[in-house]
Amino acid sequence: PELAKKQIKIGFIATFIAIAFISSVTYFCSRQIGEFFSEDKEVIQGFIDTSIYISIFLIADGITCAFSNILRTIGAEGFALKCYLLTFSGGIIVGVLLVFTFKIIPQGIGLFVGLFVGMVSFNILGLYKLYSINLEEQCAKVKKKLEEGDSPPK
């Protein structure tokens, strides 16, 4: 359990470093990235305008991936899958409502905002599960499965 806690911390730290770097590059180099894909000034400006949303989305996505991997590793893959389905389905619905029904958010970023809501919801549920789970018991189950040679069917 102590090794598992240490590996969880290392995983989160590595994830935060990676997503901080990627989202920073996306935001601060948005003009260059836009110019790489198009010479049209309107398209480039559109990318620059949405780069903040993309950067925030990348941060939430990275944290979601870390939580998902940790939950699957400790044997809570069913919980992770149910949360994915619920939060992302809800997030897409929120994005569609904000863009098409309420017309609050421009169409180009509605999906980002909706999925961001889904990812933040998943991260909150993942954090709850991570702190409510008995890590010693889960580590014992994983160790038992490994010792038995329990592997996926070929």
Short mmCIF file of all heavy atoms in Angstrom, two decimals, residues 79-147:
data_model
loop_
_atom_site.label_atom_id
_atom_site.label_comp_id
_atom_site.label_asym_id
_atom_site.label_seq_id
_atom_site.Cartn_x
_atom_site.Cartn_y
_atom_site.Cartn_z
N PHE A 79 -16.23 1.20 -11.74
CA PHE A 79 -16.58 2.55 -11.28
C PHE A 79 -16.11 3.59 -12.29
O PHE A 79 -16.86 4.51 -12.64
CB PHE A 79 -15.94 2.81 -9.91
CG PHE A 79 -16.18 4.20 -9.39
CD1 PHE A 79 -17.37 4.51 -8.76
CD2 PHE A 79 -15.21 5.18 -9.52
CE1 PHE A 79 -17.60 5.79 -8.28
CE2 PHE A 79 -15.43 6.46 -9.05
CZ PHE A 79 -16.63 6.76 -8.43
N ALA A 80 -14.87 3.44 -12.78
CA ALA A 80 -14.33 4.39 -13.75
C ALA A 80 -15.17 4.42 -15.03
O ALA A 80 -15.48 5.49 -15.56
CB ALA A 80 -12.88 4.06 -14.07
N LEU A 81 -15.56 3.25 -15.51
CA LEU A 81 -16.36 3.17 -16.73
C LEU A 81 -17.73 3.83 -16.55
O LEU A 81 -18.18 4.60 -17.40
CB LEU A 81 -16.53 1.72 -17.17
CG LEU A 81 -17.37 1.50 -18.42
CD1 LEU A 81 -16.73 2.18 -19.63
CD2 LEU A 81 -17.56 0.03 -18.68
N LYS A 82 -18.39 3.54 -15.43
CA LYS A 82 -19.70 4.15 -15.17
C LYS A 82 -19.59 5.67 -15.08
O LYS A 82 -20.43 6.39 -15.62
CB LYS A 82 -20.30 3.58 -13.88
CG LYS A 82 -20.72 2.14 -14.00
CD LYS A 82 -21.13 1.60 -12.64
CE LYS A 82 -21.30 0.08 -12.71
NZ LYS A 82 -21.46 -0.52 -11.39
N CYS A 83 -18.54 6.13 -14.41
CA CYS A 83 -18.35 7.59 -14.29
C CYS A 83 -18.09 8.21 -15.65
O CYS A 83 -18.60 9.29 -15.96
CB CYS A 83 -17.20 7.90 -13.35
SG CYS A 83 -17.58 7.63 -11.63
N TYR A 84 -17.26 7.56 -16.47
CA TYR A 84 -17.01 8.06 -17.82
C TYR A 84 -18.31 8.22 -18.59
O TYR A 84 -18.58 9.27 -19.17
CB TYR A 84 -16.12 7.09 -18.60
CG TYR A 84 -14.68 7.47 -18.71
CD1 TYR A 84 -13.68 6.54 -18.48
CD2 TYR A 84 -14.29 8.75 -19.07
CE1 TYR A 84 -12.35 6.88 -18.59
CE2 TYR A 84 -12.97 9.09 -19.19
CZ TYR A 84 -12.00 8.15 -18.95
OH TYR A 84 -10.69 8.49 -19.06
N LEU A 85 -19.09 7.17 -18.60
CA LEU A 85 -20.34 7.21 -19.37
C LEU A 85 -21.28 8.31 -18.88
O LEU A 85 -21.84 9.06 -19.68
CB LEU A 85 -21.03 5.85 -19.32
CG LEU A 85 -20.32 4.72 -20.06
CD1 LEU A 85 -21.04 3.40 -19.82
CD2 LEU A 85 -20.23 5.02 -21.54
N LEU A 86 -21.44 8.40 -17.58
CA LEU A 86 -22.35 9.41 -17.03
C LEU A 86 -21.85 10.83 -17.23
O LEU A 86 -22.58 11.70 -17.70
CB LEU A 86 -22.58 9.15 -15.54
CG LEU A 86 -23.43 7.93 -15.20
CD1 LEU A 86 -23.41 7.69 -13.69
CD2 LEU A 86 -24.85 8.12 -15.68
N THR A 87 -20.59 11.07 -16.88
CA THR A 87 -20.10 12.45 -16.91
C THR A 87 -19.89 12.95 -18.33
O THR A 87 -20.21 14.09 -18.63
CB THR A 87 -18.80 12.59 -16.10
OG1 THR A 87 -17.81 11.70 -16.61
CG2 THR A 87 -19.03 12.30 -14.63
N PHE A 88 -19.37 12.10 -19.21
CA PHE A 88 -19.15 12.57 -20.58
C PHE A 88 -20.45 12.71 -21.34
O PHE A 88 -20.62 13.64 -22.13
CB PHE A 88 -18.16 11.67 -21.32
CG PHE A 88 -16.75 11.95 -20.92
CD1 PHE A 88 -16.15 11.24 -19.90
CD2 PHE A 88 -16.04 12.96 -21.53
CE1 PHE A 88 -14.85 11.52 -19.51
CE2 PHE A 88 -14.75 13.25 -21.15
CZ PHE A 88 -14.15 12.52 -20.14
N SER A 89 -21.40 11.80 -21.12
CA SER A 89 -22.71 11.95 -21.74
C SER A 89 -23.36 13.25 -21.27
O SER A 89 -23.89 14.02 -22.07
CB SER A 89 -23.62 10.77 -21.40
OG SER A 89 -23.06 9.58 -21.86
N GLY A 90 -23.30 13.48 -19.97
CA GLY A 90 -23.84 14.73 -19.41
C GLY A 90 -23.10 15.94 -19.93
O GLY A 90 -23.71 16.98 -20.23
N GLY A 91 -21.78 15.84 -20.07
CA GLY A 91 -20.98 16.95 -20.57
C GLY A 91 -21.32 17.31 -22.00
O GLY A 91 -21.43 18.49 -22.36
N ILE A 92 -21.53 16.31 -22.83
CA ILE A 92 -21.90 16.58 -24.22
C ILE A 92 -23.27 17.24 -24.28
O ILE A 92 -23.49 18.19 -25.04
CB ILE A 92 -21.85 15.28 -25.05
CG1 ILE A 92 -20.39 14.84 -25.21
CG2 ILE A 92 -22.52 15.47 -26.41
CD1 ILE A 92 -20.21 13.50 -25.85
N ILE A 93 -24.19 16.77 -23.45
CA ILE A 93 -25.52 17.38 -23.40
C ILE A 93 -25.43 18.84 -22.96
O ILE A 93 -26.06 19.73 -23.54
CB ILE A 93 -26.46 16.57 -22.49
CG1 ILE A 93 -26.75 15.21 -23.13
CG2 ILE A 93 -27.75 17.33 -22.20
CD1 ILE A 93 -27.44 14.22 -22.23
N VAL A 94 -24.61 19.11 -21.94
CA VAL A 94 -24.42 20.49 -21.47
C VAL A 94 -23.85 21.35 -22.60
O VAL A 94 -24.31 22.47 -22.84
CB VAL A 94 -23.48 20.53 -20.22
CG1 VAL A 94 -23.01 21.94 -19.93
CG2 VAL A 94 -24.18 19.95 -19.02
N GLY A 95 -22.84 20.84 -23.31
CA GLY A 95 -22.26 21.59 -24.43
C GLY A 95 -23.27 21.90 -25.51
O GLY A 95 -23.34 23.02 -26.01
N VAL A 96 -24.08 20.92 -25.87
CA VAL A 96 -25.10 21.12 -26.89
C VAL A 96 -26.12 22.16 -26.44
O VAL A 96 -26.53 23.04 -27.21
CB VAL A 96 -25.78 19.78 -27.25
CG1 VAL A 96 -27.03 20.00 -28.08
CG2 VAL A 96 -24.81 18.88 -27.99
N LEU A 97 -26.56 22.06 -25.17
CA LEU A 97 -27.53 23.03 -24.65
C LEU A 97 -26.97 24.45 -24.64
O LEU A 97 -27.65 25.40 -25.01
CB LEU A 97 -27.98 22.63 -23.24
CG LEU A 97 -28.88 21.41 -23.14
CD1 LEU A 97 -29.12 21.05 -21.68
CD2 LEU A 97 -30.20 21.66 -23.85
N LEU A 98 -25.71 24.60 -24.21
CA LEU A 98 -25.11 25.93 -24.14
C LEU A 98 -24.95 26.56 -25.52
O LEU A 98 -25.08 27.76 -25.67
CB LEU A 98 -23.75 25.86 -23.44
CG LEU A 98 -23.77 25.57 -21.94
CD1 LEU A 98 -22.35 25.39 -21.42
CD2 LEU A 98 -24.47 26.67 -21.18
N VAL A 99 -24.67 25.73 -26.51
CA VAL A 99 -24.43 26.27 -27.86
C VAL A 99 -25.72 26.48 -28.63
O VAL A 99 -25.97 27.55 -29.17
CB VAL A 99 -23.48 25.33 -28.65
CG1 VAL A 99 -23.39 25.76 -30.10
CG2 VAL A 99 -22.10 25.33 -28.03
N PHE A 100 -26.55 25.44 -28.69
CA PHE A 100 -27.70 25.49 -29.60
C PHE A 100 -29.00 25.96 -28.96
O PHE A 100 -29.79 26.64 -29.59
CB PHE A 100 -27.90 24.11 -30.25
CG PHE A 100 -26.75 23.69 -31.09
CD1 PHE A 100 -25.94 22.64 -30.69
CD2 PHE A 100 -26.45 24.35 -32.26
CE1 PHE A 100 -24.86 22.26 -31.46
CE2 PHE A 100 -25.37 23.97 -33.04
CZ PHE A 100 -24.57 22.92 -32.63
N THR A 101 -29.22 25.61 -27.69
CA THR A 101 -30.48 25.99 -27.06
C THR A 101 -30.39 27.38 -26.43
O THR A 101 -31.21 28.25 -26.71
CB THR A 101 -30.89 24.96 -26.00
OG1 THR A 101 -30.94 23.68 -26.62
CG2 THR A 101 -32.23 25.29 -25.40
N PHE A 102 -29.40 27.56 -25.57
CA PHE A 102 -29.29 28.84 -24.85
C PHE A 102 -28.43 29.86 -25.61
O PHE A 102 -28.46 31.03 -25.29
CB PHE A 102 -28.71 28.61 -23.45
CG PHE A 102 -29.55 27.69 -22.62
CD1 PHE A 102 -29.04 26.47 -22.20
CD2 PHE A 102 -30.85 28.03 -22.27
CE1 PHE A 102 -29.81 25.61 -21.42
CE2 PHE A 102 -31.61 27.18 -21.50
CZ PHE A 102 -31.10 25.97 -21.08
N LYS A 103 -27.66 29.39 -26.58
CA LYS A 103 -26.79 30.26 -27.40
C LYS A 103 -25.92 31.16 -26.54
O LYS A 103 -25.71 32.33 -26.84
CB LYS A 103 -27.61 31.06 -28.39
CG LYS A 103 -28.37 30.18 -29.36
CD LYS A 103 -29.09 31.01 -30.39
CE LYS A 103 -29.97 30.25 -31.25
NZ LYS A 103 -30.08 29.31 -31.98
N ILE A 104 -25.39 30.60 -25.46
CA ILE A 104 -24.51 31.34 -24.54
C ILE A 104 -23.07 31.31 -25.02
O ILE A 104 -22.34 32.27 -24.88
CB ILE A 104 -24.61 30.74 -23.11
CG1 ILE A 104 -26.02 30.90 -22.59
CG2 ILE A 104 -23.61 31.37 -22.18
CD1 ILE A 104 -26.27 30.20 -21.27
N ILE A 105 -22.68 30.18 -25.60
CA ILE A 105 -21.29 29.96 -25.97
C ILE A 105 -21.20 29.83 -27.49
O ILE A 105 -22.04 29.18 -28.11
CB ILE A 105 -20.77 28.69 -25.28
CG1 ILE A 105 -20.78 28.90 -23.77
CG2 ILE A 105 -19.39 28.31 -25.76
CD1 ILE A 105 -20.39 27.70 -22.99
N PRO A 106 -20.17 30.42 -28.09
CA PRO A 106 -19.98 30.27 -29.55
C PRO A 106 -19.83 28.79 -29.93
O PRO A 106 -19.30 27.99 -29.16
CB PRO A 106 -18.69 31.03 -29.84
CG PRO A 106 -18.47 31.91 -28.67
CD PRO A 106 -19.15 31.27 -27.50
N GLN A 107 -20.25 28.44 -31.13
CA GLN A 107 -20.24 27.04 -31.57
C GLN A 107 -18.86 26.41 -31.54
O GLN A 107 -18.72 25.24 -31.25
CB GLN A 107 -20.83 26.93 -32.97
CG GLN A 107 -22.31 27.15 -33.00
CD GLN A 107 -22.87 26.94 -34.40
OE1 GLN A 107 -22.18 26.52 -35.30
NE2 GLN A 107 -24.15 27.24 -34.55
N GLY A 108 -17.83 27.14 -31.81
CA GLY A 108 -16.48 26.57 -31.87
C GLY A 108 -15.97 26.01 -30.56
O GLY A 108 -15.10 25.15 -30.55
N ILE A 109 -16.50 26.49 -29.43
CA ILE A 109 -15.97 26.04 -28.14
C ILE A 109 -17.01 25.32 -27.29
O ILE A 109 -16.70 24.88 -26.18
CB ILE A 109 -15.37 27.21 -27.34
CG1 ILE A 109 -16.42 28.28 -27.08
CG2 ILE A 109 -14.15 27.77 -28.02
CD1 ILE A 109 -15.99 29.32 -26.10
N GLY A 110 -18.20 25.16 -27.78
CA GLY A 110 -19.26 24.51 -26.99
C GLY A 110 -18.93 23.10 -26.58
O GLY A 110 -19.15 22.70 -25.44
N LEU A 111 -18.36 22.33 -27.50
CA LEU A 111 -18.00 20.96 -27.17
C LEU A 111 -16.89 20.93 -26.13
O LEU A 111 -16.92 20.11 -25.21
CB LEU A 111 -17.56 20.21 -28.43
CG LEU A 111 -17.27 18.73 -28.25
CD1 LEU A 111 -18.52 18.00 -27.74
CD2 LEU A 111 -16.80 18.11 -29.55
N PHE A 112 -15.91 21.85 -26.23
CA PHE A 112 -14.85 21.92 -25.23
C PHE A 112 -15.42 22.19 -23.85
O PHE A 112 -15.05 21.57 -22.87
CB PHE A 112 -13.83 23.01 -25.58
CG PHE A 112 -12.93 22.66 -26.71
CD1 PHE A 112 -12.96 23.39 -27.88
CD2 PHE A 112 -12.04 21.61 -26.61
CE1 PHE A 112 -12.12 23.08 -28.93
CE2 PHE A 112 -11.19 21.29 -27.66
CZ PHE A 112 -11.23 22.02 -28.83
N VAL A 113 -16.34 23.14 -23.77
CA VAL A 113 -16.93 23.50 -22.49
C VAL A 113 -17.76 22.34 -21.94
O VAL A 113 -17.66 22.00 -20.75
CB VAL A 113 -17.79 24.79 -22.61
CG1 VAL A 113 -18.55 25.06 -21.33
CG2 VAL A 113 -16.91 25.97 -22.97
N GLY A 114 -18.56 21.71 -22.78
CA GLY A 114 -19.37 20.59 -22.33
C GLY A 114 -18.54 19.43 -21.83
O GLY A 114 -18.79 18.86 -20.77
N LEU A 115 -17.51 19.06 -22.60
CA LEU A 115 -16.64 17.96 -22.16
C LEU A 115 -15.83 18.35 -20.93
O LEU A 115 -15.53 17.51 -20.09
CB LEU A 115 -15.73 17.53 -23.31
CG LEU A 115 -16.43 16.76 -24.42
CD1 LEU A 115 -15.46 16.47 -25.56
CD2 LEU A 115 -17.05 15.49 -23.90
N PHE A 116 -15.48 19.63 -20.82
CA PHE A 116 -14.78 20.10 -19.62
C PHE A 116 -15.65 19.88 -18.39
O PHE A 116 -15.17 19.41 -17.35
CB PHE A 116 -14.41 21.58 -19.77
CG PHE A 116 -13.76 22.16 -18.55
CD1 PHE A 116 -12.42 21.90 -18.30
CD2 PHE A 116 -14.47 22.95 -17.67
CE1 PHE A 116 -11.81 22.43 -17.17
CE2 PHE A 116 -13.87 23.48 -16.55
CZ PHE A 116 -12.53 23.23 -16.30
N VAL A 117 -16.93 20.18 -18.50
CA VAL A 117 -17.86 19.94 -17.39
C VAL A 117 -17.89 18.45 -17.05
O VAL A 117 -17.83 18.06 -15.88
CB VAL A 117 -19.29 20.45 -17.75
CG1 VAL A 117 -20.32 19.97 -16.75
CG2 VAL A 117 -19.29 21.97 -17.85
N GLY A 118 -17.93 17.60 -18.07
CA GLY A 118 -17.92 16.16 -17.86
C GLY A 118 -16.64 15.69 -17.18
O GLY A 118 -16.66 14.88 -16.26
N MET A 119 -15.51 16.22 -17.63
CA MET A 119 -14.23 15.81 -17.05
C MET A 119 -14.07 16.28 -15.61
O MET A 119 -13.56 15.54 -14.76
CB MET A 119 -13.08 16.33 -17.90
CG MET A 119 -12.89 15.52 -19.16
SD MET A 119 -11.44 15.99 -20.06
CE MET A 119 -12.14 17.18 -21.16
N VAL A 120 -14.50 17.49 -15.32
CA VAL A 120 -14.42 17.97 -13.93
C VAL A 120 -15.31 17.11 -13.03
O VAL A 120 -14.91 16.74 -11.93
CB VAL A 120 -14.80 19.47 -13.84
CG1 VAL A 120 -14.99 19.91 -12.41
CG2 VAL A 120 -13.74 20.32 -14.52
N SER A 121 -16.49 16.74 -13.52
CA SER A 121 -17.37 15.86 -12.75
C SER A 121 -16.70 14.51 -12.51
O SER A 121 -16.73 13.97 -11.40
CB SER A 121 -18.69 15.64 -13.49
OG SER A 121 -19.32 16.86 -13.75
N PHE A 122 -16.07 13.95 -13.54
CA PHE A 122 -15.36 12.68 -13.41
C PHE A 122 -14.23 12.80 -12.39
O PHE A 122 -14.03 11.91 -11.56
CB PHE A 122 -14.81 12.23 -14.75
CG PHE A 122 -14.04 10.93 -14.67
CD1 PHE A 122 -14.71 9.72 -14.73
CD2 PHE A 122 -12.67 10.92 -14.52
CE1 PHE A 122 -14.02 8.52 -14.65
CE2 PHE A 122 -11.98 9.74 -14.43
CZ PHE A 122 -12.65 8.54 -14.50
N ASN A 123 -13.50 13.91 -12.44
CA ASN A 123 -12.38 14.10 -11.52
C ASN A 123 -12.85 14.20 -10.07
O ASN A 123 -12.21 13.68 -9.16
CB ASN A 123 -11.57 15.33 -11.91
CG ASN A 123 -10.87 15.14 -13.23
OD1 ASN A 123 -10.63 14.01 -13.67
ND2 ASN A 123 -10.54 16.23 -13.89
N ILE A 124 -13.97 14.84 -9.86
CA ILE A 124 -14.52 14.94 -8.50
C ILE A 124 -14.93 13.56 -8.00
O ILE A 124 -14.62 13.17 -6.87
CB ILE A 124 -15.70 15.93 -8.46
CG1 ILE A 124 -15.19 17.37 -8.68
CG2 ILE A 124 -16.46 15.83 -7.13
CD1 ILE A 124 -16.27 18.38 -8.92
N LEU A 125 -15.62 12.80 -8.85
CA LEU A 125 -16.02 11.44 -8.47
C LEU A 125 -14.80 10.54 -8.28
O LEU A 125 -14.76 9.71 -7.36
CB LEU A 125 -16.95 10.85 -9.53
CG LEU A 125 -18.33 11.48 -9.63
CD1 LEU A 125 -19.06 10.95 -10.85
CD2 LEU A 125 -19.13 11.24 -8.37
N GLY A 126 -13.79 10.69 -9.13
CA GLY A 126 -12.57 9.90 -8.99
C GLY A 126 -11.83 10.21 -7.71
O GLY A 126 -11.31 9.32 -7.03
N LEU A 127 -11.77 11.49 -7.35
CA LEU A 127 -11.12 11.89 -6.10
C LEU A 127 -11.87 11.31 -4.91
O LEU A 127 -11.26 10.78 -3.97
CB LEU A 127 -11.06 13.41 -6.01
CG LEU A 127 -10.29 14.00 -4.85
CD1 LEU A 127 -8.83 13.61 -4.92
CD2 LEU A 127 -10.43 15.52 -4.85
N TYR A 128 -13.20 11.35 -4.96
CA TYR A 128 -14.01 10.77 -3.90
C TYR A 128 -13.72 9.27 -3.77
O TYR A 128 -13.50 8.76 -2.67
CB TYR A 128 -15.50 11.00 -4.17
CG TYR A 128 -16.39 10.15 -3.30
CD1 TYR A 128 -16.59 10.47 -1.97
CD2 TYR A 128 -17.00 9.01 -3.82
CE1 TYR A 128 -17.39 9.67 -1.16
CE2 TYR A 128 -17.80 8.21 -3.03
CZ TYR A 128 -18.00 8.55 -1.69
OH TYR A 128 -18.78 7.76 -0.91
N LYS A 129 -13.70 8.57 -4.90
CA LYS A 129 -13.47 7.12 -4.88
C LYS A 129 -12.07 6.81 -4.37
O LYS A 129 -11.89 5.88 -3.57
CB LYS A 129 -13.67 6.54 -6.28
CG LYS A 129 -13.50 5.05 -6.37
CD LYS A 129 -14.60 4.33 -5.63
CE LYS A 129 -14.54 2.84 -5.90
NZ LYS A 129 -15.62 2.13 -5.24
N LEU A 130 -11.09 7.58 -4.78
CA LEU A 130 -9.72 7.34 -4.38
C LEU A 130 -9.54 7.50 -2.87
O LEU A 130 -8.82 6.74 -2.23
CB LEU A 130 -8.78 8.29 -5.13
CG LEU A 130 -7.31 7.97 -5.10
CD1 LEU A 130 -7.05 6.58 -5.68
CD2 LEU A 130 -6.53 9.00 -5.87
N TYR A 131 -10.22 8.48 -2.29
CA TYR A 131 -10.10 8.69 -0.85
C TYR A 131 -11.02 7.79 -0.03
O TYR A 131 -10.80 7.59 1.15
CB TYR A 131 -10.34 10.16 -0.50
CG TYR A 131 -9.11 10.98 -0.70
CD1 TYR A 131 -8.97 11.77 -1.84
CD2 TYR A 131 -8.06 10.94 0.19
CE1 TYR A 131 -7.83 12.51 -2.05
CE2 TYR A 131 -6.91 11.67 -0.01
CZ TYR A 131 -6.80 12.45 -1.13
OH TYR A 131 -5.66 13.17 -1.35
N SER A 132 -12.06 7.23 -0.66
CA SER A 132 -12.98 6.39 0.10
C SER A 132 -12.63 4.90 0.01
O SER A 132 -13.15 4.10 0.76
CB SER A 132 -14.42 6.59 -0.39
OG SER A 132 -14.55 6.13 -1.72
N ILE A 133 -11.72 4.56 -0.91
CA ILE A 133 -11.39 3.15 -1.11
C ILE A 133 -10.34 2.70 -0.08
O ILE A 133 -9.51 3.49 0.35
CB ILE A 133 -10.88 2.93 -2.55
CG1 ILE A 133 -11.00 1.49 -2.95
CG2 ILE A 133 -9.45 3.40 -2.70
CD1 ILE A 133 -10.88 1.30 -4.44
N ASN A 134 -10.43 1.45 0.32
CA ASN A 134 -9.44 0.86 1.22
C ASN A 134 -8.27 0.39 0.35
O ASN A 134 -8.33 -0.66 -0.27
CB ASN A 134 -10.05 -0.30 2.00
CG ASN A 134 -9.10 -0.89 3.02
OD1 ASN A 134 -7.91 -0.60 3.00
ND2 ASN A 134 -9.64 -1.71 3.90
N LEU A 135 -7.22 1.19 0.33
CA LEU A 135 -6.11 0.94 -0.57
C LEU A 135 -5.38 -0.36 -0.22
O LEU A 135 -4.93 -1.08 -1.12
CB LEU A 135 -5.14 2.12 -0.54
CG LEU A 135 -4.18 2.25 -1.71
CD1 LEU A 135 -4.93 2.25 -3.03
CD2 LEU A 135 -3.35 3.49 -1.58
N GLU A 136 -5.29 -0.69 1.05
CA GLU A 136 -4.62 -1.94 1.45
C GLU A 136 -5.39 -3.15 0.90
O GLU A 136 -4.79 -4.09 0.39
CB GLU A 136 -4.51 -2.01 2.96
CG GLU A 136 -3.50 -1.05 3.53
CD GLU A 136 -3.34 -1.17 5.03
OE1 GLU A 136 -3.67 -2.24 5.59
OE2 GLU A 136 -2.87 -0.21 5.63
N GLU A 137 -6.70 -3.11 1.01
CA GLU A 137 -7.53 -4.21 0.52
C GLU A 137 -7.41 -4.33 -1.00
O GLU A 137 -7.29 -5.44 -1.54
CB GLU A 137 -8.98 -3.96 0.93
CG GLU A 137 -9.94 -5.05 0.53
CD GLU A 137 -11.36 -4.71 0.95
OE1 GLU A 137 -11.57 -4.35 2.12
OE2 GLU A 137 -12.25 -4.81 0.08
N GLN A 138 -7.45 -3.22 -1.70
CA GLN A 138 -7.36 -3.24 -3.15
C GLN A 138 -5.99 -3.74 -3.60
O GLN A 138 -5.88 -4.49 -4.56
CB GLN A 138 -7.64 -1.86 -3.73
CG GLN A 138 -9.08 -1.43 -3.64
CD GLN A 138 -10.02 -2.39 -4.32
OE1 GLN A 138 -10.84 -3.02 -3.66
NE2 GLN A 138 -9.92 -2.51 -5.62
N CYS A 139 -4.92 -3.32 -2.92
CA CYS A 139 -3.58 -3.79 -3.27
C CYS A 139 -3.46 -5.29 -3.05
O CYS A 139 -2.82 -5.99 -3.84
CB CYS A 139 -2.52 -3.05 -2.45
SG CYS A 139 -2.27 -1.35 -2.97
N ALA A 140 -4.08 -5.79 -1.99
CA ALA A 140 -4.06 -7.24 -1.73
C ALA A 140 -4.79 -7.99 -2.85
O ALA A 140 -4.32 -9.05 -3.29
CB ALA A 140 -4.71 -7.53 -0.38
N LYS A 141 -5.91 -7.46 -3.33
CA LYS A 141 -6.64 -8.10 -4.43
C LYS A 141 -5.82 -8.13 -5.70
O LYS A 141 -5.77 -9.15 -6.40
CB LYS A 141 -7.96 -7.36 -4.69
CG LYS A 141 -9.04 -7.61 -3.66
CD LYS A 141 -10.30 -6.84 -4.05
CE LYS A 141 -11.37 -6.98 -3.01
NZ LYS A 141 -12.57 -6.19 -3.38
N VAL A 142 -5.17 -7.01 -6.01
CA VAL A 142 -4.36 -6.93 -7.22
C VAL A 142 -3.18 -7.89 -7.11
O VAL A 142 -2.85 -8.62 -8.06
CB VAL A 142 -3.87 -5.48 -7.47
CG1 VAL A 142 -2.83 -5.43 -8.57
CG2 VAL A 142 -5.04 -4.58 -7.79
N LYS A 143 -2.55 -7.93 -5.93
CA LYS A 143 -1.42 -8.84 -5.72
C LYS A 143 -1.85 -10.29 -5.89
O LYS A 143 -1.16 -11.10 -6.51
CB LYS A 143 -0.84 -8.61 -4.33
CG LYS A 143 0.41 -9.41 -4.05
CD LYS A 143 0.99 -9.07 -2.70
CE LYS A 143 2.24 -9.89 -2.44
NZ LYS A 143 2.79 -9.63 -1.13
N LYS A 144 -3.02 -10.63 -5.37
CA LYS A 144 -3.54 -12.00 -5.48
C LYS A 144 -3.77 -12.35 -6.94
O LYS A 144 -3.43 -13.45 -7.39
CB LYS A 144 -4.83 -12.13 -4.67
CG LYS A 144 -5.41 -13.54 -4.67
CD LYS A 144 -6.67 -13.60 -3.84
CE LYS A 144 -7.27 -14.99 -3.95
NZ LYS A 144 -8.57 -15.08 -3.31
N LYS A 145 -4.35 -11.43 -7.69
CA LYS A 145 -4.60 -11.68 -9.11
C LYS A 145 -3.29 -11.88 -9.86
O LYS A 145 -3.17 -12.74 -10.74
CB LYS A 145 -5.36 -10.52 -9.75
CG LYS A 145 -6.83 -10.52 -9.46
CD LYS A 145 -7.50 -9.39 -10.22
CE LYS A 145 -8.99 -9.39 -9.99
NZ LYS A 145 -9.65 -8.32 -10.76
N LEU A 146 -2.28 -11.09 -9.53
CA LEU A 146 -0.99 -11.21 -10.19
C LEU A 146 -0.32 -12.54 -9.86
O LEU A 146 0.32 -13.18 -10.71
CB LEU A 146 -0.08 -10.05 -9.81
CG LEU A 146 -0.44 -8.69 -10.39
CD1 LEU A 146 0.43 -7.60 -9.80
CD2 LEU A 146 -0.35 -8.69 -11.90
N GLU A 147 -0.44 -12.96 -8.60
CA GLU A 147 0.15 -14.22 -8.18
C GLU A 147 -0.53 -15.42 -8.83
O GLU A 147 0.09 -16.43 -9.13
CB GLU A 147 0.11 -14.36 -6.66
CG GLU A 147 1.09 -13.45 -5.95
CD GLU A 147 0.91 -13.44 -4.45
OE1 GLU A 147 -0.09 -14.02 -3.94
OE2 GLU A 147 1.75 -12.82 -3.78
#
